[in-house]
Amino acid sequence: DTAVSQTPKYLVTQMGNDKSIKCEQNLGHDTMYWYKQDSKKFLKIMFSYNNKELIINETVPNRFSPKSPDKAHLNLHINSLELGDSAVYFCASSQFPGTGHTEAFFGQGTRLTVV
Amino acid sequence: QQQVKQSPQSLIVQKGGISIINCAYENTAFDYFPWYQQFPGKGPALLIAIRPDVSEKKEGRFTISFNKSAKQFSLHIMDSQPGDSATYFCAASKAYNTDKLIFGTGTRLQVFP
């Protein structure tokens, strides 16, 4: 059973289009994230949700809108796609840490290519 | 501003050798330092992690060394194997936080037979 699953794995689209990436976790975690990995493999957090509530928004353009229908799902919608949005997007989840820290589990990624 | 600096960018090691990857951080509020391993086409996966109350943590062939005063930590892979060939990321996060991980820039490790 896949713990954190993302769809699609590959996404090729034209500039200006709107697209969505879906993520689901079956680990019972409270917190979910979106990370972006650029062409140089640099990983940077975009958003974090805890129990459907947005808790981190790392100065991402408002063309990116996350939506969490329930705590097991966190989708990412991107409007008006630009060439610079081409990257690998990773969904991740973890148990809400409180005063501790727990492992973040990552999905296999969605490679977005904007042409 | 790169809060976690990682070196080297790439590393080539002979099978059986020791691989060493170094990281340095700036923010003294960081109190959790994990290492993630990423194979091509896969997401990062936790390899080993350390808290700043210990100076070393070992799990099998993987060891983290932590120097709080120097704000540095490193990953040592003993008896490196071709199957260890991957990209390794150090990371850091703060206490009382939502586990937002600040990643280093990654090290591509290649282990040759």
Side-chain angles (χ1 to χ4, degrees), chain B residues 22-42:
Chain B
N22 300 301
C23 282
Y25 63 97
E26 297 168 2
N27 192 335
T28 54
F30 288 146
D31 75 336
Y32 175 67
F33 303 90
W35 285 89
Y36 278 79
Q37 180 187 54
Q38 184 180 24
F39 292 105
K42 303 292 184 184

Side-chain angles (χ1 to χ4, degrees), chain A residues 10 12 23 40 53 67 76 79 83 86 89 95 106 112:
Chain A
Y10 300 98
V12 181
C23 179
K40 294 184 178 178
E53 184 182 342
K67 282 191 172 49
L76 183 65
N79 289 329
L83 293 176
S86 296
Y89 293 84
Q95 213 30 40
F106 284 78
L112 172 65

Side-chain angles (χ1 to χ4, degrees), chain B residues 34-89:
Chain B
W35 285 89
Y36 278 79
Q37 180 187 54
Q38 184 180 24
F39 292 105
K42 303 292 184 184
L46 180 67
L47 189 62
I48 186 172
I50 197 167
R51 298 291 298 269
D53 50 348
V54 296
S55 59
E56 187 175 282
K57 184 173 181 180
K58 184 176 180 180
E59 289 183 3
R61 297 184 294 109
F62 301 90
T63 300
I64 300 178
S65 297
F66 186 82
N67 185 330
K68 189 174 180 179
S69 60
K71 294 188 286 185
Q72 294 175 347
F73 58 112
S74 59
L75 176 69
H76 296 235
I77 306 174
M78 310 300 287
D79 187 26
S80 299
Q81 299 296 312
D84 296 331
S85 297
T87 300
Y88 292 80
F89 293 92

Side-chain angles (χ1 to χ4, degrees), chain A residues 33 37 55-56 58 101-102, chain B residues 31 38 94 98-100:
Chain A
Y33 314 82
Q37 187 169 48
I55 48 179
I56 294 175
E58 287 288 307
H101 294 273
T102 58
Chain B
D31 75 336
Q38 184 180 24
K94 299 180 198 177
T98 51
D99 257 356
K100 177 177 81 170

